[in-house]
Amino acid sequence: MSRILITSALPYINGIKHLGTLAGSMLPADVYARFQRGKGRETLYICATDEHGTPTELAAAEAGLDPATFCANAHAVQADLGARFGLSWDHFGRSSSPQNHRQTQMFARQLWEAGFLEERVTQQVYSRADRRFLPDRYVIGTCPHCGYESARGDQCENCTRVLDPADLLHPRSAVSGSTDIEIRDSKHLFLRQSLFSDRLREGIEARKGQWPLLVTSIALKWLDEGLQDRGITRDLEWGVPVNAADWGPNSEGRTPDVEGLAGKVFYVWFDAPIEYISATAEWADARAGGKAPDQDWERWWRKPVADDVTYVQFMGKDNVPFHTVGFPCTLMGVNEGANAPWKLVDELKGFNWLDYYGGRFSTSQNRGVFMDQALELLPPDYWRWWIVANAPETSDATFVWEQFQAQVNADLADVLGNFVNRILKFTETRFEGVVPSGGADGPLEVKLKVDVQAKLVELTGFMEAREFRKSSTALRQLWVLGNQYLTEAAPWTALKTDPERAGVAVRTGLNLVALFARVAEPFIPFTAKVIGDSVGIGVGPGLWPDPDRALDILTPGQTVKAPEVLFRKIEDTQVAEWRERFGGPEAIQG
């Protein structure tokens, strides 16, 4: 494992993201990226906003903005919130970027010329009043099953039945409200995914036991049901234009119907995964003022120069099919006969849902806690710790205010915060704020070093394996070892009769503080830096501790200073206030 490429599923541009989005992709990816940098490995963490599709056009129209302006504004908000949460993206790009336009169009041309795209005529809803085709969600009408009068053309929000626009009673345009609509034929491009079914199955079967069961089960279910070819174009104005005029003939000698494809854009689920590659190009261009040579970004994506790269993807379970089927089909297709094939994923970490009192976090229904609201209530490390420690890895997890309060107070305030403040304040008052020298380790220190070494090895192994709940447990157990040691060593008691012995205990305790700062950095980076500063050390890249020297970080004689209280306990009155504001179990209906 030489170089590490990390991508997390692209957050959609429409709306502030909720804690469930953090839990299902971006935050675990950040923790893993910070750990890999800590190990000294060259690491690139790429993410971006997913900016095309029907909801973007609707949201922009509702805001009274054109889609480009709406997306630019929303991207700035999401980038700011991510930075405030400590998400250490090397680049946070945009799927509407010029780089993604070029890359998507290039891939489409190559897929067409290799024979993996096919033109088909489909029936679409057309609004004469709006003079445009309407995607499914642009059609509103009465649900034929439950009578709900504002059902969308893809699904009724009231009874949850999946619909076709032609099923709706009294259909109308979501754009203008006009009922002057009809069904018309429309030509579209389809990616011939069915041709890759056997190859995909072979790859997924080979990942059993390596990838989470959640991931391989979802992928194989899609394959078992029969992999269908998928339409990759839409009748929209906002998106990557098809631009088929410069395409050559396909493998059967046919040229594309340029006139029939005029005005089409690529479907968001075709261009969005390509943005992983394009955002890497954006990163390189930004670093080199727009003049980056190809190898500055292609060395992460194209073989053979990317042979030493391990590519790791993070996503929620709803995104798994598109990353185990759709995007791989795109890359396999363009890799046919390529001298420098594109790299496919090596490791894929999928997550279940993080629920809110047993109900889904929902952007559209404004249910649960959203990133901006969370930061109004508490600093980011409170949220980061709880989310990672409760990562929905093997099953859905549930956010409950009372459990959040109990865990944060116990782990962060009582175990970590209390230890750091207790030993540093004692050092300030009784050892003049200096790491003591002299004295030899006794049985307590010998045992502690063995225990710490074993636990650090365990923690490191869990982090390498992307087991976040287990990693959080191991880290907390390290903190507990420190508290147990300090209680047994009791330097405040030893100082009365054996100052040298007290000095050994204090020096060991301060080294534990330094250790905790460095191993906590991927999880709670803001607090880790404060702790590191308090004992005069850095945290972060290249500084993940060596188990053999885990308690030999500080130099005797260097000064230390107790920080302000690291974590203030969450009070019952705060929980009551937050439940009133955001709702508890009574707010969840179905």
Side-chain angles (χ1 to χ4, degrees):
M1 190 181 290
S2 177
R3 291 188 287 141
I4 311 296
L5 173 63
I6 299 169
T7 61
S8 56
L10 310 187
Y12 199 64
I13 193 67
N14 190 12
I16 304 295
K17 301 304 108 178
H18 52 68
L19 297 186
T21 303
L22 272 180
S25 58
M26 294 188 290
L27 184 52
D30 175 69
V31 173
Y32 187 66
R34 288 176 178 275
F35 165 73
Q36 292 294 350
R37 295 187 193 110
K39 293 288 288 182
R41 295 170 180 143
E42 188 179 358
T43 302
L44 188 67
Y45 176 21
I46 294 292
C47 194
T49 40
D50 179 3
E51 301 191 3
H52 297 136
T54 303
T56 302
E57 289 194 359
L58 287 174
E62 185 176 346
L65 300 171
D66 62 273
T69 302
F70 173 83
C71 288
N73 294 345
H75 174 84
V77 171
Q78 292 200 29
D80 174 67
L81 285 171
R84 289 165 60 194
F85 259 96
L87 300 180
S88 60
W89 301 306
D90 289 284
H91 184 74
F92 187 58
R94 302 181 59 190
S95 68
S96 64
S97 69
Q99 291 89 338
N100 200 41
H101 276 235
R102 289 193 297 269
Q103 194 69 44
T104 299
Q105 290 165 346
M106 183 185 77
F107 276 2
R109 176 178 59 79
Q110 291 173 339
L111 288 167
W112 169 265
E113 292 173 357
F116 296 120
L117 292 187
E118 185 173 87
E119 295 172 327
R120 298 181 186 177
V121 175
T122 63
Q123 290 194 320
Q124 304 286 318
V125 176
Y126 184 84
S127 169
R128 285 189 287 264
D130 300 314
R131 297 181 182 179
R132 60 176 292 173
F133 285 98
L134 299 176
D136 296 351
R137 290 176 60 120
Y138 272 38
V139 187
I140 299 175
T142 301
C143 175
H145 303 288
C146 71
Y148 181 58
E149 295 183 353
S150 297
R152 297 192 315 262
D154 58 347
Q155 186 178 35
C156 175
E157 290 186 353
N158 186 55
C159 69
T160 72
R161 288 285 192 91
V162 175
L163 301 173
D164 185 273
D167 298 332
L168 294 173
L169 305 176
H170 315 299
R172 61 190 184 276
S173 166
V175 179
S176 63
S178 172
T179 58
D180 188 12
I181 61 178
E182 64 182 17
I183 303 297
R184 288 187 182 181
D185 289 343
S186 182
K187 181 165 285 188
H188 286 280
L189 291 169
F190 280 71
L191 177 61
R192 301 174 68 187
Q193 294 183 149
S194 56
L195 299 178
F196 300 96
S197 182
D198 291 342
R199 219 184 310 179
L200 286 168
R201 182 179 297 276
E202 181 181 351
I204 298 299
E205 292 282 0
R207 303 294 188 180
K208 282 186 173 179
Q210 178 183 349
W211 288 1
L213 178 62
L214 171 73
V215 171
T216 54
S217 297
I218 291 174
L220 290 173
K221 182 176 184 293
W222 271 55
L223 294 172
D224 290 343
E225 291 175 351
L227 189 58
Q228 302 297 311
D229 298 340
R230 188 172 186 87
I232 64 164
T233 53
R234 290 292 187 269
D235 292 295
L236 289 171
E237 296 178 4
W238 175 245
V240 179
V242 171
N243 286 354
D246 63 344
W247 295 3
N250 65 9
S251 56
E252 298 176 351
R254 294 177 53 248
T255 55
D257 180 359
V258 175
E259 184 176 342
L261 295 172
K264 312 290 184 184
V265 300
F266 288 105
Y267 179 38
V268 62
W269 269 113
F270 180 71
D271 80 79
I274 296 171
E275 169 61 10
Y276 296 137
I277 296 172
S278 305
T280 312
E282 295 171 42
W283 162 78
D285 288 347
R287 293 173 73 220
K291 300 178 181 179
D294 286 349
Q295 62 267 27
D296 276 9
W297 65 272
E298 289 194 351
R299 63 188 286 264
W300 291 95
W301 283 102
R302 306 201 73 171
K303 297 182 176 184
V305 292
D307 282 343
D308 65 331
V309 172
T310 298
Y311 177 24
V312 187
Q313 292 178 345
F314 290 82
M315 69 199 64
K317 60 185 176 183
D318 55 329
N319 288 326
V320 167
F322 304 103
H323 290 79
T324 56
V325 176
F327 190 37
C329 285
T330 296
L331 294 181
M332 288 178 182
V334 298
N335 281 348
E336 288 285 311
N339 293 324
W342 299 91
K343 185 169 183 59
L344 276 70
V345 64
D346 296 299
E347 306 289 346
L348 197 156
K349 178 73 174 182
F351 292 86
N352 290 279
W353 303 127
L354 174 64
D355 294 332
Y356 183 77
Y357 282 94
R360 290 283 304 278
F361 276 90
S362 173
T363 300
S364 61
Q365 298 180 31
N366 199 33
R367 177 190 294 148
V369 185
F370 291 73
M371 290 173 66
D372 55 344
Q373 297 166 333
L375 293 176
E376 290 174 12
L377 306 182
L378 293 166
D381 282 349
Y382 288 71
W383 303 104
R384 287 179 63 106
W385 174 254
W386 187 91
I387 291 171
V388 178
N390 294 275
E393 293 173 303
T394 57
S395 63
D396 291 348
T398 296
F399 180 90
V400 175
W401 283 112
E402 293 80 1
Q403 192 264 347
F404 172 72
Q405 174 195 26
Q407 189 168 2
V408 164
N409 287 354
D411 294 355
L412 299 183
D414 290 341
V415 180
L416 175 61
N418 180 59
F419 175 85
V420 171
N421 281 282
R422 185 164 52 145
I423 187 63
L424 281 167
K425 285 183 177 178
F426 183 71
T427 305
E428 281 187 335
T429 57
R430 306 310 295 269
F431 286 84
E432 299 180 343
V434 172
V435 179
S437 59
D441 289 347
L444 274 181
E445 288 73 37
V446 171
K447 180 181 184 302
L448 176 68
K449 287 186 177 181
V450 171
D451 292 342
V452 164
Q453 182 182 50
K455 190 57 63 177
L456 181 54
V457 169
E458 182 181 83
L459 168 60
T460 303
F462 287 145
M463 291 291 281
E464 294 281 17
R466 298 168 297 283
E467 297 282 353
F468 295 102
R469 280 199 178 203
K470 292 179 180 178
S471 297
S472 302
T473 298
L475 178 54
R476 186 185 187 281
Q477 289 169 344
L478 265 178
W479 298 341
V480 169
L481 285 175
N483 279 277
Q484 291 173 340
Y485 167 77
L486 207 57
T487 298
E488 293 182 54
W492 37 84
T493 301
L495 187 62
K496 300 173 184 176
T497 58
D498 191 347
E500 188 173 80
R501 173 68 200 144
V504 170
V506 168
R507 183 170 66 247
T508 303
L510 293 173
N511 272 286
L512 282 166
V513 171
L515 172 68
F516 294 168
R518 287 182 172 172
V519 294
E521 193 274 342
F523 301 82
I524 46 174
F526 299 99
T527 307
K529 183 180 186 306
V530 171
I531 297 173
D533 289 345
S534 72
V535 292
I537 64 162
V539 298
L543 294 174
W544 187 261
D546 178 351
D548 293 330
R549 297 181 51 80
L551 295 180
D552 298 313
I553 299 173
L554 302 181
T555 303
Q558 72 182 76
T559 58
V560 300
K561 181 176 177 57
E564 297 294 323
V565 174
L566 295 175
F567 296 99
R568 298 190 182 279
K569 288 193 173 184
I570 299 172
E571 302 296 336
D572 292 343
T573 53
Q574 292 174 289
V575 170
E577 177 188 333
W578 297 338
R579 274 193 55 165
E580 177 69 22
R581 175 179 174 184
F582 298 100
E586 69 281 353
I588 305 301
Q589 302 296 326

